[in-house]
Amino acid sequence: MRKVNPLGPIRTAIQRKRAKDYLLVTLLSFALSVSFTRSFLYLTGYPQLGGGELHIAHVLWGGVLLFISALIPLIFANQWALMISACVTGFGVGLFIDEVGKFITQSNDYFYPSAAPIIYAFFLLTVLLYISIRKPTKPDSRSQLYSVLSDLEEILDRDFSEQEHKACWSD
C-alpha cells in the first residue's frame, strides 16, 4: 500500500476571488459582440474584407482577440489584466462563434438555420457556468489564504479602497 505524503502538493482548484465578475464581463461582451456584429453586417449589406478569392472573415479577428486575451494574464500579474482579459475574451468568442454556420456546413453557409441555436446554446451554457460559480461556498483556510494574497496585489498597486477594506473585514 502506497503512503500518502501529508506535506505533498495540493492540486485542488481554488476559485479566483472575482471569478463571477470576470465571467459576467465575458458574458456581456460576448452578447454585445454577437449582437453588434449581426447588426453591423445587416445594416451594411454583409460586406467582405478582401477581394477575389480572399475573404478575411470575422472569425479570424475573433481568434486574434482570443489569443490576445490568453496572453494578457500570462504577461501581467495585475488584477486589472484579468478584467481586460475577460472583456477581450467575450468579444473574441462572440466574433468566433458568430461564424459557426460556416463551420458546420459543407457550403460554408453563414445563414444556416441551425447556427443560431448553437450560438444561443453556447451562450446559455456559459450562463449556467456563471450561475454555478455565483453560489457561495464555504471557504477553507487554503482558499482564504489565496484571497488574502489576492488582496495584497491591490495594496501593492495602491488600489485597495476603503470599501474593499471594509468588505474584507466584514466576511
Side-chain angles (χ1 to χ4, degrees):
M1 182 174 242
R2 190 175 144 204
K3 288 188 176 184
V4 177
N5 181 357
L7 299 177
I10 302 171
R11 303 280 188 220
T12 56
I14 298 289
Q15 184 174 307
R16 189 174 293 281
K17 185 175 182 179
R18 295 185 58 203
K20 64 180 181 276
D21 299 334
Y22 301 133
L23 192 52
L24 180 61
V25 167
T26 301
L27 278 167
L28 293 174
S29 58
F30 174 5
L32 183 67
S33 176
V34 172
S35 300
F36 177 79
T37 301
R38 291 278 167 149
S39 299
F40 174 80
L41 291 175
Y42 176 77
L43 293 172
T44 58
Y46 299 92
Q48 293 188 1
L49 289 177
E53 290 187 30
L54 182 64
H55 169 62
I56 302 172
H58 53 274
V59 70
L60 296 174
W61 298 112
V64 168
L65 290 177
L66 287 170
F67 182 63
I68 290 168
S69 71
L71 291 177
I72 291 170
L74 295 176
I75 296 170
F76 302 105
N78 311 79
Q79 288 191 12
W80 56 260
L82 295 171
M83 190 59 76
I84 290 173
S85 178
C87 186
V88 175
T89 297
F91 284 116
V93 168
L95 289 172
F96 179 84
I97 200 75
D98 184 61
E99 298 246 16
V100 72
K102 290 183 176 182
F103 299 112
I104 61 173
T105 60
Q106 289 183 347
S107 61
N108 292 333
D109 185 2
Y110 180 75
F111 300 103
Y112 189 68
S114 295
I118 291 171
I119 295 168
Y120 297 133
F122 190 78
F123 183 79
L124 290 175
L125 286 172
T126 311
V127 169
L128 287 174
L129 175 63
Y130 173 71
I131 290 168
S132 73
I133 68 166
R134 285 193 60 210
K135 293 178 184 173
T137 57
K138 186 177 179 185
D140 61 354
S141 58
R142 187 166 158 259
S143 63
Q144 288 176 326
L145 184 56
Y146 267 85
S147 180
V148 168
L149 292 173
S150 174
D151 290 339
L152 288 176
E153 290 178 23
E154 291 204 36
I155 292 170
L156 289 171
D157 291 341
R158 296 185 188 140
D159 190 31
F160 195 63
S161 71
E162 188 174 324
Q163 291 169 332
E164 290 169 321
H165 183 270
K166 287 177 183 177
C168 282
W169 289 102
S170 67
D171 290 340

